[in-house]
Amino acid sequence: MNPIEPIELADFKVGVDNVIFSVDTQQNRLLVLLIKRLNYPFSSYWSLPGTLVRQGETLEKAAYRTLSELIRVNNLYLEQLYTFGGPNRDPRELPESFGVRYLSVSYFALVRYEEAELIQKQSNFPSWYMIEKIPQLAFDHNQILDYGYQRLKSKLKYSPIVFDVLPELFTLNDLYQFYTTILGENFSDYSNFRNKLLKLGFLFDTGVKVTKGAGRPASLYRFDAPSFAPLKDQPLLFI
Amino acid sequence: MNPIEPIELADFKVGVDNVIFSVDTQQNRLLVLLIKRLNYPFSSYWSLPGTLVRQGETLEKAAYRTLSELIRVNNLYLEQLYTFGGPNRDPRELPESFGVRYLSVSYFALVRYEEAELIQKQSNFPSWYMIEKIPQLAFDHNQILDYGYQRLKSKLKYSPIVFDVLPELFTLNDLYQFYTTILGENFSDYSNFRNKLLKLGFLFDTGVKVTKGAGRPASLYRFDAPSFAPLKDQPLLFI
DNA sequence: ACAAAAGTGTTACCGTTACACCCATGC
DNA sequence: GCATGGGTGTAACGGTAACACTTTTGT
């Protein structure tokens, strides 16, 4: 950045918009959290939850703040997505507003539906929408959401982000259901999925058994970060 | 973004910082373009080329503008990297400046060294630095550069970005050298690299031969985007 | 006993790896 | 002729995909 520039620089308000995914393994649904806009512009449209960044606040903190006002959750994964910053994204950018631009830094979050408790005190009707039934959203939020969905799917395949979202202890079936819900039934069969993951050597059987209705009890496993570390930079594929 | 907020919002200047890589296949070097800062802050430090975003200008346009003021090039690849936006990135953010923040949207660009003609009229000494010999840079630019380098290496493996940078027609050796320069000698042997790529079916032999000193003449190949299209979303690895 | 859930085993197939080898040109 | 760069072939190996099968529980 060169400090001496002509005077036609743009002034920005920076917002953070969040694509908050939740995985409902019970009903095999992938959900996105939307809120209803109450004000101009795009009043009464659904939109991604977001906020404008405050003084002294990092972008990530702003993303967390938005999230924590809507849901209460213990385990989550959060990652910056992309920055959408073209002019005319926002109708509030009037010519008479001295070139104020609205720039959106988008984040995507991943939580478990079972664990994510919606804080319903909000006046803007926060609601989970199935990914297949997203309505037309305010601003360029459909584009942001699509981008986030792509990123989620690819990231799941080569990064251990699941283990930030699942509880400490989980069964291999929990893990499999998680993947299935996001990637679809056909990504791998259970037996091969099991073998591949166990062979990688960062999942440890705690020996503790847990039973889920009828059927043989399942072992609870734990993700061991140190064992995963050496695989970090390799183009390892989980699927 | 909620339009009604308390008054402690941050005001931003948005800058674009570019990690411009060039690949010198002749000498097997990966280079980064740096400029010398002439003003406060970080005066006389080397830094990534960047600019502040102007009114009516998209982020990407701002990135192109910076690039085109420094080099003249035909084929290039450009992609948004990450947005660094924490407070206190920039010493110009004084408490008395009413909370003006400097936010940096970083881009990475990839060109061929042979083709990139440096515009030396610039007063800020634009220079190519070998990736292994980057000095301490201004701001958080070392961090940005590292991030860009990681992205470059991983992107190269699963995305056909090379073909945006190479000329229309190229030999398979050109292609191999390109990969070797960025990923190192050991990523694959030439014979296997050849077979793998040709089997994918998006490289076409034009039949035209080109000779390079002694040795058998090489065929010129062309990248066929339509043939690649179906492979677009698969987790295909080139290496 | 039987269904349900968890976990093991088997086999054909395909891609990767690490080479050795052949081809065409300049000097 | 021989060095140089370009291109082909092959055989061992290991991972993947699709499936059958066994084990352990609840009812």
Side-chain angles (χ1 to χ4, degrees):
Chain A
M1 289 184 255
N2 204 317
I4 297 166
E5 289 279 345
I7 24 167
E8 348 104 42
L9 293 181
D11 276 307
F12 286 90
K13 297 290 182 189
V14 173
V16 162
D17 290 310
N18 300 317
V19 187
I20 303 168
F21 291 106
S22 76
V23 179
D24 178 2
T25 45
Q26 251 91 81
Q27 297 180 65
N28 242 268
R29 298 182 304 167
L30 179 60
L31 304 160
V32 180
L33 188 55
L34 298 179
I35 60 172
K36 210 176 177 74
R37 285 189 61 82
L38 305 172
N39 303 92
Y40 176 83
F42 289 101
S43 184
S44 88
Y45 276 72
W46 290 94
S47 75
L48 298 175
T51 189
L52 290 169
V53 178
R54 296 179 184 170
Q55 287 184 26
E57 188 178 50
T58 62
L59 298 171
E60 193 172 283
K61 277 249 176 70
Y64 268 117
R65 177 162 55 80
T66 312
L67 203 133
S68 64
E69 284 169 4
L70 293 167
I71 53 178
R72 191 165 276 291
V73 80
N74 290 313
N75 305 303
L76 88 151
Y77 178 77
L78 184 73
E79 165 183 316
Q80 189 186 302
L81 208 51
Y82 199 81
T83 298
F84 296 87
N88 307 81
R89 283 189 62 252
D90 194 314
R92 285 172 288 182
E93 295 171 15
L94 297 165
E96 58 268 30
S97 65
F98 295 98
V100 171
R101 293 254 293 271
Y102 286 87
L103 182 138
S104 159
V105 181
S106 51
Y107 278 79
F108 97 83
L110 185 61
V111 300
R112 286 190 308 140
Y113 180 71
E114 295 80 5
E115 196 204 331
E117 184 198 335
L118 259 187
I119 298 169
Q120 280 292 3
K121 290 178 291 192
Q122 299 294 116
S123 56
N124 43 18
F125 310 104
S127 320
W128 293 112
Y129 270 78
M130 287 179 63
I131 189 79
E132 303 87 359
K133 295 180 179 172
I134 302 291
Q136 203 207 321
L137 304 177
F139 308 105
D140 49 2
H141 286 188
N142 286 95
Q143 190 194 351
I144 297 177
L145 200 158
D146 289 349
Y147 191 80
Y149 186 36
Q150 292 306 120
R151 179 85 133 255
L152 168 64
K153 284 186 290 187
S154 65
K155 198 88 196 207
L156 208 62
K157 288 180 198 162
Y158 64 82
S159 243
I161 66 176
V162 215
F163 307 112
D164 288 353
V165 182
L166 289 177
E168 269 285 313
L169 303 177
F170 50 86
T171 69
L172 291 180
N173 227 0
D174 290 340
L175 195 58
Y176 181 67
Q177 289 308 323
F178 200 97
Y179 272 87
T180 299
T181 303
I182 297 174
L183 300 176
E185 298 278 345
N186 339 346
F187 79 97
S188 173
D189 99 0
Y190 176 58
S191 153
N192 295 327
F193 177 81
R194 254 185 88 83
N195 289 330
K196 184 160 185 180
L197 275 173
L198 290 178
K199 204 175 292 175
L200 292 171
F202 51 72
L203 295 181
F204 288 110
D205 190 341
T206 62
V208 183
K209 303 284 179 183
V210 70
T211 183
K212 182 173 151 192
R216 176 172 173 175
S219 267
L220 286 175
Y221 283 78
R222 163 183 282 117
F223 174 70
D224 184 59
S227 305
F228 178 77
L231 307 171
K232 204 149 206 164
D233 302 309
Q234 289 167 251
L236 122 97
L237 290 177
F238 287 110
I239 54 144
Chain B
M1 293 183 250
N2 202 315
I4 297 168
E5 290 276 347
I7 25 169
E8 347 105 41
L9 292 181
D11 275 308
F12 285 89
K13 297 290 184 189
V14 174
V16 162
D17 290 310
N18 300 319
V19 187
I20 304 168
F21 291 105
S22 76
V23 179
D24 178 1
T25 45
Q26 249 91 84
Q27 296 180 68
N28 242 268
R29 299 182 304 167
L30 179 60
L31 304 160
V32 179
L33 189 55
L34 298 179
I35 59 172
K36 210 177 178 73
R37 285 189 62 81
L38 304 172
N39 303 93
Y40 176 83
F42 289 101
S43 185
S44 89
Y45 276 72
W46 290 95
S47 75
L48 297 175
T51 188
L52 290 169
V53 178
R54 297 180 183 168
Q55 288 184 27
E57 187 179 50
T58 63
L59 298 171
E60 195 172 283
K61 277 248 177 71
Y64 267 116
R65 176 163 55 81
T66 312
L67 204 133
S68 64
E69 284 169 4
L70 293 167
I71 54 177
R72 190 164 278 292
V73 79
N74 289 313
N75 305 303
L76 89 151
Y77 177 77
L78 184 73
E79 164 184 317
Q80 189 187 302
L81 208 50
Y82 198 81
T83 297
F84 297 86
N88 305 81
R89 283 189 62 253
D90 194 313
R92 284 171 289 181
E93 296 170 15
L94 297 166
E96 60 268 29
S97 64
F98 296 97
V100 170
R101 293 251 294 270
Y102 286 87
L103 184 138
S104 159
V105 181
S106 52
Y107 278 78
F108 96 83
L110 185 61
V111 301
R112 286 190 308 140
Y113 180 72
E114 294 80 6
E115 195 202 331
E117 184 198 334
L118 261 186
I119 299 170
Q120 281 290 4
K121 289 179 291 189
Q122 300 294 115
S123 55
N124 43 17
F125 309 103
S127 321
W128 293 112
Y129 270 78
M130 287 180 64
I131 189 79
E132 301 89 359
K133 296 180 179 172
I134 303 291
Q136 203 205 321
L137 304 178
F139 307 105
D140 49 3
H141 286 188
N142 285 96
Q143 189 194 351
I144 298 178
L145 200 158
D146 288 349
Y147 192 81
Y149 185 36
Q150 293 307 122
R151 178 84 134 258
L152 168 63
K153 284 186 289 187
S154 65
K155 198 88 195 205
L156 207 63
K157 288 180 197 163
Y158 64 82
S159 244
I161 67 176
V162 215
F163 307 112
D164 288 353
V165 182
L166 289 177
E168 271 284 313
L169 302 177
F170 50 86
T171 69
L172 291 179
N173 229 358
D174 291 340
L175 195 56
Y176 182 68
Q177 290 308 323
F178 200 97
Y179 271 88
T180 298
T181 303
I182 298 174
L183 300 177
E185 297 279 345
N186 339 344
F187 80 96
S188 174
D189 100 1
Y190 176 58
S191 153
N192 295 328
F193 177 82
R194 253 185 89 83
N195 289 329
K196 184 160 186 180
L197 276 172
L198 290 178
K199 204 176 294 176
L200 292 170
F202 51 73
L203 294 182
F204 289 109
D205 189 341
T206 61
V208 183
K209 304 284 179 184
V210 69
T211 184
K212 183 173 150 191
R216 179 172 171 175
S219 266
L220 287 175
Y221 283 79
R222 162 184 281 118
F223 174 70
D224 185 57
S227 305
F228 178 76
L231 307 172
K232 203 150 208 166
D233 302 309
Q234 287 166 254
L236 123 97
L237 291 176
F238 287 110
I239 56 142

